């Protein structure tokens, strides 16, 4: 089995003089790699013994998602240095404490990324959110995509695991049944990150860099709702700057809970009934609008 240093060297064409373990995330390990020349690199690595079918296309999808997000003029994403089925190498992001000025720039960066748009609601390939598969089969409208591709699959998975009861499932199904009336005024597909919780925002002096995307064409409110889910420093500054650059439609605040429902269902699938109460509260808030 090849060591990670050898895998990174083959992907980047640079000798790796030092590899610092940074722990693990889901089934993959994280490292900071120091090459013989240039700046440090960030590495995500699956064990080479991982079957190709276990996380088929995981790093390919992530790399291409970062490139797609980065195609917009000011998208705040790291540079991808190389990847294969078991390894992803990116530029190292040196983090700084968040400031109001950085938050305002990040809001403008996020607005520009969203406004660069997408061809459809969905993507040309399926993806992952964390270790879970993500169906990106395109749909004609946002309500259909959000209900069929984001809520229903994870509701079924949560129910099958026993983390949600049949009564819980019916509460979320009420949201799905009324989805056409809950999503607000139609908008064209935005170029969204898709997993934009605060841990995927790395602060810089002049803005932020976003990592670990589940990129697809979606509704821009999903990224903003997820930033609010687990708390982002200076979130009001981010949203105010965003709203100046790309004004949000009326009623966006009333749709935050609706657009938090998908990531909460994902958390139920990953971590069990600990997220049950929060998920049901979001479903009820979404119905209240």
């Amino acid at each position: 089995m090849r060591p990670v240093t050898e895998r990174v060297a083959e992907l980047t064409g640079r000798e790796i003089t030092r590899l610092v373990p940074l722990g693990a995330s889901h089934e993959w390990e994280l490292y900071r790699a120091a090459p013989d020349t240039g700046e440090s690199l960030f590495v995500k690595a699956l064990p080479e013994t991982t079957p190709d079918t276990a996380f088929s296309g995981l790093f390919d999808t992530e790399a291409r998602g970062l490139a797609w997000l980065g195609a917009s003029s000011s998208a705040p994403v790291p540079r991808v240095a190389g990847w294969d089925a078991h390894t992803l190498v990116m530029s190292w992001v040196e983090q700084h404490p968040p400031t109001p000025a950085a938050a305002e720039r990040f809001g403008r960066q996020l607005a520009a990324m969203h406004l660069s748009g997408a061809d459809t609601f969905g993507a040309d390939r399926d993806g992952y959110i964390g270790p879970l598969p993500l169906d990106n089969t395109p749909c004609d409208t946002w309500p259909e995509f959000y209900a069929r591709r984001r809520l229903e699959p994870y509701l079924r998975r949560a129910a099958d695991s026993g983390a949600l009861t049949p009564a819980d499932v019916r509460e979320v199904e009420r949201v799905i049944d009324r989805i056409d009336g809950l999503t607000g005024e139609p908008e064209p597909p935005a170029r969204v990150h898709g997993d934009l919780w605060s841990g995927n925002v790395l602060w810089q002096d002049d803005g932020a860099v976003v990592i670990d995307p589940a990129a697809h064409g979606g509704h821009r409110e999903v990224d903003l709702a997820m930033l609010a889910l687990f708390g982002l420093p200076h979130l009001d500054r981010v949203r105010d700057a965003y709203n100046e650059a790309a004004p949000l439609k009326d009623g966006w605040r009333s749709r935050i809970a609706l657009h938090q429902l998908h990531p909460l269902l994902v958390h139920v699938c990953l971590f069990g009934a600990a997220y049950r109460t929060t998920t049901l509260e979001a479903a009820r808030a979404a119905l209240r609008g």
Side-chain angles (χ1 to χ4, degrees):
M1 186 168 62
R2 295 176 305 158
V4 174
T5 51
E6 183 178 321
R7 290 153 61 181
V8 175
E10 288 180 2
L11 289 170
T12 63
R14 299 160 70 184
E15 181 182 351
I16 302 303
T17 58
R18 187 164 177 253
L19 191 71
V20 180
L22 301 175
S25 176
H26 304 296
E27 281 74 19
W28 41 91
E29 296 177 335
L30 311 176
Y31 301 91
R32 180 172 183 168
D36 55 349
T37 59
E39 298 179 347
S40 292
L41 300 167
F42 179 71
V43 181
K44 299 172 75 170
L46 285 165
E48 283 199 311
T49 54
T50 304
D52 290 343
T53 55
F55 295 100
S56 178
L58 173 70
F59 291 145
D60 181 70
T61 300
E62 182 172 347
R64 294 179 185 277
L66 286 168
W68 184 65
L69 294 177
S72 61
S73 59
S74 63
V77 298
R79 179 183 60 85
V80 176
W83 76 92
D84 60 22
H86 294 90
T87 316
L88 175 64
V89 186
M90 294 174 284
S91 57
W92 178 262
V93 178
E94 199 66 49
Q95 299 185 63
H96 299 273
T99 65
E104 290 173 7
R105 173 152 174 76
F106 175 49
R108 293 190 291 272
Q109 289 174 307
L110 188 61
M113 186 180 81
H114 286 168
L115 291 178
S116 62
D119 293 333
T120 185
F121 293 108
D124 61 0
R125 67 185 63 214
D126 291 340
Y128 290 87
I129 184 161
L132 299 181
L134 193 68
D135 184 354
N136 287 327
T137 305
C139 292
D140 292 334
T141 68
W142 173 246
E144 181 187 8
F145 183 84
Y146 192 58
R148 306 305 169 211
R149 310 288 185 247
R150 293 297 180 261
L151 298 183
E152 287 183 352
Y154 302 97
L155 179 60
R156 289 195 301 269
R157 183 185 284 261
D160 290 345
S161 73
L164 295 182
T165 69
D168 298 338
V169 170
R170 286 193 292 274
E171 289 217 48
V172 180
E173 286 176 338
R174 290 174 60 209
V175 177
I176 294 171
D177 291 343
R178 291 178 50 188
I179 195 71
D180 287 336
L182 298 176
T183 53
E185 183 180 341
E187 291 195 7
R191 189 168 302 214
V192 301
H193 179 283
D195 192 11
L196 198 57
W197 71 289
S198 57
N200 284 342
V201 179
L202 308 183
W203 290 100
Q204 305 284 279
D205 284 335
D206 59 350
V209 171
V210 297
I211 59 170
D212 295 351
H216 63 281
H219 199 299
R220 58 201 181 114
E221 289 178 11
V222 300
D223 279 351
L224 293 166
M226 200 159 184
L227 286 175
L229 185 55
F230 299 113
L232 181 80
H234 307 299
L235 178 58
D236 287 345
R237 294 287 190 107
V238 173
R239 288 195 298 213
D240 288 348
Y242 182 101
N243 212 17
E244 289 178 6
L248 294 161
K249 301 288 181 151
D250 290 345
W252 67 269
R253 289 184 185 275
S254 68
R255 294 186 291 273
I256 291 175
L258 172 68
H259 289 132
Q260 289 176 341
L261 192 52
H262 167 239
L264 284 169
L265 284 169
V266 169
H267 275 70
V268 173
C269 294
L270 289 174
F271 306 113
Y275 284 90
R276 170 184 172 272
T277 299
T278 308
T279 300
L280 296 179
E281 288 172 350
R284 292 166 191 148
L287 289 168
R288 290 194 299 270

